[in-house]
Amino acid sequence: MRSLKLSLAAMMTLASLQTAHAQPKESAPQEPPYTQDENEFDTPAESGTTDEMLSIEDEIKSAEPNPTAPVQVAEPKKEESTVNLNEKVPEAGGKNLTAEEEPSVIPVSPVVEVKPAKKIQYGEVVRQSPKGGVEYIHHPQAAKGLLVIEKDGTYVYKTKDSGAYNKTGTFRIGTMDAPTIVSKDGTTNFVTMYHGSPVPIFMFDFEWQPFTSFGRLGVQAGVGFLIEQGRGRFACDNCGTLNGTESKEKYTFIAVPLNLGGIYRLEWTSHQWLAPYISGGGTYIPVAEVRDDNTAPKAVGTPGVYGAGGMMFNVSAFDRNTAFTLRNEYGISNLWLTAEYRYLKTFNEDLDFTSNIITLGIGVDY
């Protein structure tokens, strides 16, 4: 039995070899993959035959595609494209553009120069209130003289004002005693012809104070104005009942006192509330009498002296806003209300203006 199997195997092997040699050499080779059906009766007989079969199988396997091997796909040739210099290059980690996606052109906005914001400098704390609830700090306007900000939003600044002044002007209005003037015949006088006491008077005094070390010592010059109107009196021996009676002519009496002297004010600060003062000097009083009947006017005069004392009340010291406005808008350092008593003594007995003068006034320092 064993010998029979060996004989059959040998015959099949020879038949296969003869068939292979019997194919024409110029026939088309079989394309891989080519697999020859095996028979259960096919068994390798010799080692040479087995090696040849193994080499054929290796070639077939090498020609078969390996599904596990990586497949290399040729990339399509990229088209040449222009480079847009205004296009932003994608940052690392961003989305990369593929060949199929066309890059979008981003419009370039005009360059706008933005200045950096100024750094706010906060002032240092100067001090705290005794209770610790309020902090006082340096305001940016403090360098320009800002002192305080009121509750209503008013900014109060410290002005660069030396406070120096050496001139004062004062307007006064008051009353004086009626002058003692009697006509030559003795029939009439100032009281019966014009007006009795008191007589209104207007005055203006100008002061210049060159010495301000211990109070204010200066020169005072002034002018006054007194005016009265009345009717004349008949004075004749043959007038009968008309003698001494009132006439129809109107008379105007005008006196202009001229004063020159000195003044000393007890004032040591620039905004002192009260300032008493004393003054004195010489005076000359020109007098004119004018009639309305075209008669030539008559003019005379008398010299004299005066002495005065008074009190000055500083209005601007009570309101700093008023003082600031007066100083900056009008150049007025102090605004005074004055009260004065002046005694006047003249030396002409026929034209006697000796009297007591009481005035109230308003004065300004500049």
Side-chain angles (χ1 to χ4, degrees):
M1 189 67 178
R2 181 180 181 89
S3 61
L4 180 59
K5 289 180 180 182
L6 292 174
S7 299
L8 289 173
M11 289 175 64
M12 292 179 65
T13 301
L14 291 174
S16 63
L17 291 174
Q18 288 179 359
T19 303
H21 289 290
Q23 294 179 358
K25 293 182 180 181
E26 296 180 358
S27 62
Q30 296 181 0
E31 296 181 359
Y34 174 77
T35 304
Q36 188 176 1
D37 296 335
E38 295 182 358
N39 196 319
E40 62 179 354
F41 299 104
D42 295 337
T43 57
E46 295 179 3
S47 60
T49 304
T50 305
D51 294 338
E52 184 178 357
M53 293 176 66
L54 290 174
S55 62
I56 294 172
E57 291 179 359
D58 291 339
E59 291 180 2
I60 293 172
K61 290 180 179 181
S62 62
E64 292 179 356
N66 189 357
T68 61
V71 178
Q72 295 182 357
V73 179
E75 295 181 359
K77 185 177 180 181
K78 295 182 179 180
E79 297 180 357
E80 294 182 358
S81 61
T82 59
V83 179
N84 187 0
L85 298 178
N86 294 326
E87 183 180 359
K88 295 184 179 179
V89 180
E91 299 179 356
K95 181 180 178 181
N96 295 325
L97 298 176
T98 60
E100 291 80 3
E101 297 179 356
E102 295 182 359
S104 60
V105 179
I106 301 175
V108 180
S109 301
V111 178
V112 179
E113 182 180 358
V114 180
K115 297 182 179 180
K118 294 183 179 179
K119 185 178 180 181
I120 300 176
Q121 297 180 355
Y122 295 95
E124 60 178 346
V125 175
V126 178
R127 64 184 183 279
Q128 289 186 347
S129 64
K131 296 182 180 180
V134 178
E135 292 182 345
Y136 295 86
I137 63 173
H138 282 300
H139 193 275
Q141 299 296 327
K144 298 182 179 179
L146 179 63
L147 295 178
V148 67
I149 303 176
E150 302 287 356
K151 292 182 179 180
D152 59 354
T154 302
Y155 281 58
V156 180
Y157 286 87
K158 179 181 180 181
T159 58
K160 296 180 180 179
D161 184 10
S162 61
Y165 58 90
N166 58 3
K167 299 179 182 64
T168 304
T170 306
F171 291 92
R172 309 180 195 275
I173 182 172
T175 60
M176 64 178 294
D177 298 332
T180 304
I181 303 174
V182 181
S183 62
K184 291 182 179 181
D185 57 3
T187 58
T188 185
N189 55 35
F190 183 88
V191 174
T192 59
M193 188 172 178
Y194 294 102
H195 193 278
S197 298
V199 177
I201 186 172
F202 303 90
M203 303 175 67
F204 172 77
D205 291 328
F206 170 77
E207 303 171 16
W208 173 53
Q209 305 115 13
F211 307 103
T212 58
S213 298
F214 302 97
R216 291 184 174 272
L217 178 62
V219 179
Q220 184 183 60
V223 61
F225 185 76
L226 184 151
I227 184 170
E228 285 289 341
Q229 285 187 338
R231 293 187 181 273
R233 296 288 189 273
F234 286 101
C236 57
D237 297 335
N238 300 322
C239 293
T241 59
L242 294 177
N243 188 19
T245 61
E246 186 177 285
S247 66
K248 294 183 179 180
E249 293 83 9
K250 289 184 179 180
Y251 285 74
T252 302
F253 181 87
I254 302 173
V256 183
L258 303 176
N259 308 315
L260 181 62
I263 184 171
Y264 175 73
R265 289 162 48 173
L266 280 74
E267 184 182 355
W268 297 280
T269 61
S270 59
H271 294 288
Q272 188 170 310
W273 288 11
L274 296 175
Y277 68 92
I278 57 174
S279 64
T283 184
Y284 183 82
I285 306 176
V287 177
E289 191 176 53
V290 181
R291 297 174 55 169
D292 65 351
D293 59 354
N294 296 324
T295 303
K298 296 179 180 179
V300 292
T302 178
V305 292
Y306 73 94
M311 182 69 69
M312 304 174 68
F313 179 75
N314 195 345
V315 178
S316 58
F318 286 88
D319 189 353
R320 61 185 177 186
N321 291 330
T322 301
F324 177 81
T325 302
L326 290 174
R327 182 62 177 170
N328 287 272
E329 297 293 335
Y330 306 101
I332 298 174
S333 297
N334 293 304
L335 177 64
W336 301 96
L337 293 178
T338 66
E340 181 185 277
Y341 167 78
R342 180 176 300 196
Y343 179 76
L344 176 63
K345 173 64 178 177
T346 59
F347 305 123
N348 189 343
E349 294 181 357
D350 296 332
L351 193 63
D352 189 3
F353 275 86
T354 301
S355 64
N356 300 296
I357 304 173
I358 299 175
T359 60
L360 295 175
I362 182 170
V364 292
D365 291 336
Y366 59 96

